[in-house]
Amino acid sequence: MLYMRYLNDPTLCMDSYQDDESINFDSLRERIKLPQTKRRLPQCLIIGVRKGGTRALLEFLNIHPMIQRSTDEIHFFDNERKYNMGLEWYRQQMPYSFADQITVEKSPAYFITEGAPERIRAMNESIRLLLIVREPVTRLISDYSQLAANKAKKDKFIRPFRDLVLREDGKINTDYRAVRVSMYSLYIKMWLSIFHRDQILIINGDRMIQDPYPVIYKIEQFLGLEHRVGRENFFYNKTKGFYCVRNYTVYKCLNESKGRKHPTIDPELISKLRQFYSSFNHEFYSLARQDFGWPDE
Ligand code: A3P
């Protein structure tokens, strides 16, 4: 009864998702145990990529009645301390679900963590993996914007974008982690050496921003789910500049940390970065068996 009351109270659902909020509708739902539900290990993981649109993807999937998601990023497979706490600890972090529902967890650091694919396979060798990528330079700028915003919150200084992505000799600074994360081909190899290509669905995050419906439709197919998410579940919010979701229990846009304004970057530098990523991109297309058509300069 109490659960139904919360479900039906729209005022509780209007807030956008807060990465750090302790009590909200979602966390309430995750804590409520309905009869015949239990916490289960995930059968599907969103493995990355950082700033690819992982949060939007998770929230979009969550409107499917057969999906339960962990609101928090658990970082179980990329963090030694957490991994050493064992699978039973990991399971305890999952939401309650019915036997026929799919539990999804997302931690974007999995994609770039050596050893994560092996650990995941040891948990479940038939797991389904979702990887959402964006045009590498856009992703890099998004990553920088997030780091800059986090520093600004702490009144700390962040070096200009140019100084971080270029070395003194003018070459691209591959020691900068945000630069490396966009070199997708390096990481996808690691996953394809452990998992069958058919177990990984690679999603175009730039397309999802334009139109989330076909993306979610494809994921429903990939996960063997009935199509239950319709076009009516998405609405474009002009103020936000992005799609938001709604159904009879949820009506929300992501919070202000998603869809930030990016700094203006010198077009010459953008072009230089695109040229740098070009060979990695083409290798990625071939491994992913999908041409994303990202600009080469
Ligand atoms: P920006 O904030 O740089 O625009 P992640 O959740 O993996 O950190 O990715 C964040 C990115 O998701 C955002 O990057 C934004 O562009 C993208 N995104 C995709 N769909 C979105 C949506 N519906 N609402 C907000 N951000 C969305």
Side-chain angles (χ1 to χ4, degrees), residues 51-56 134 142 209 242-243 258-260 262:
K51 307 319 291 173
T54 55
R55 175 61 61 186
R134 281 174 84 189
S142 170
I209 291 177
F242 283 91
Y243 276 92
K258 306 292 175 183
R260 285 195 183 94
H262 291 179

Side-chain angles (χ1 to χ4, degrees), residues 281-294:
N281 291 347
H282 285 275
E283 195 182 15
F284 180 68
Y285 301 162
S286 134
L287 294 166
R289 295 194 219 129
Q290 204 170 326
D291 185 347
F292 288 84
W294 293 320

Side-chain angles (χ1 to χ4, degrees), residues 19 46 48-60 73 106 108 132 134 138-139 141-146 205-206 208-210 212 234-235 240-245 252-262:
D19 276 313
I46 298 176
V49 57
R50 181 180 154 89
K51 307 319 291 173
T54 55
R55 175 61 61 186
L57 179 59
L58 187 68
E59 294 309 309
F60 292 167
E73 293 178 4
K106 81 120 176 157
I132 180 163
R134 281 174 84 189
T138 314
R139 196 219 67 81
I141 298 170
S142 170
D143 206 339
Y144 173 81
S145 309
Q146 163 148 316
D206 298 302
M208 191 181 77
I209 291 177
Q210 300 305 320
F234 301 100
F235 66 99
K240 176 83 188 157
F242 283 91
Y243 276 92
C244 303
V245 283
K252 73 178 170 192
C253 298
L254 300 195
N255 74 9
E256 64 284 349
S257 73
K258 306 292 175 183
R260 285 195 183 94
K261 205 170 161 359
H262 291 179

